[in-house]
Amino acid sequence: MVNENYDDKTILKDIFTGSLELADPAKKLEKMKFDPPLGRIFFVAVGKGAGRLAKAFFKTYKEKTDGIVVIPENEQCDDFGFEVIKATHPIPSQKGLDASYKLVKAISKLGKDDLLIPKTKENLINNTKKQIEEYEKQYSDGLITRGEKYNKV
């Protein structure tokens, strides 16, 4: 329940923080249940949050999974059985290009019965954005109060 005595700055900060938490793909991955596909699951994560996503996925799905995780050179990734490639960030380099080629090659070998995890992540983020937009619309249309919007987000 929201405290109606909050000032606007505090409420906006809380809404922003809540929105970030709703859109956090690692938290969404931790809550998901994956049914094993007929083929195999191939996990891919690239960028500064890739190690965190790999950890979240591993918490959720403990079965044998292939995958590639590309992280910046200055970051670490726990060993979850995925191939970990270190590349430069944000400046492109040969390491990053090599990682891209390796990803394309691996993904091109996936079959119709295989499951590629990033498609799932994209859907989670898009659905969360739509949900937040709907709450904003309900608030702007006067269907819910500021406190109700705060509690939903």
Side-chain angles (χ1 to χ4, degrees):
M1 177 80 44
V2 68
N3 180 346
E4 293 294 335
N5 295 326
Y6 277 172
D7 62 29
D8 288 342
K9 183 177 179 179
T10 302
I11 290 173
L12 289 172
K13 180 181 167 196
D14 288 349
I15 289 172
F16 177 74
T17 303
S19 298
L20 289 177
E21 288 177 12
L22 277 174
D24 183 346
K27 288 184 180 184
K28 296 290 185 182
L29 273 173
E30 287 176 1
K31 294 178 183 177
M32 292 183 70
K33 301 295 178 231
F34 295 94
D35 293 327
L38 294 175
R40 63 190 177 124
I41 290 183
F42 192 82
F43 179 81
V44 174
V46 177
K48 293 193 297 185
R52 193 167 160 263
L53 288 173
K55 185 175 187 175
F57 178 76
F58 186 75
K59 281 183 181 179
T60 302
Y61 193 81
K62 303 262 187 209
E63 302 297 320
K64 171 72 174 108
T65 306
D66 295 320
I68 296 176
V69 178
V70 182
I71 60 175
E73 290 178 317
N74 63 335
E75 291 190 11
Q76 299 295 320
C77 180
D78 294 337
D79 183 5
F80 300 114
F82 307 126
E83 180 178 358
V84 176
I85 302 170
K86 292 194 172 197
T88 57
H89 179 80
I91 299 168
S93 69
Q94 189 62 46
K95 288 180 180 181
L97 188 60
D98 292 344
S100 298
Y101 287 135
K102 194 170 241 184
L103 278 170
V104 169
K105 183 178 179 182
I107 291 170
S108 68
K109 292 180 181 178
L110 296 177
K112 67 178 181 62
D113 293 329
D114 297 330
L115 174 61
L116 179 63
I117 293 302
K119 290 183 180 181
T120 305
K121 181 180 97 169
E122 183 178 327
N123 289 339
L124 285 170
I125 292 170
N126 290 336
N127 289 340
T128 300
K129 286 179 181 177
K130 286 178 188 174
Q131 192 175 32
I132 291 169
E133 288 171 7
E134 178 61 29
Y135 296 149
E136 290 294 332
K137 183 173 179 352
Q138 289 175 6
Y139 175 70
S140 66
D141 290 346
L143 300 174
I144 61 175
T145 66
R146 182 171 61 178
E148 289 170 323
K149 180 178 83 165
Y150 171 84
N151 287 333
K152 288 182 180 217
V153 172

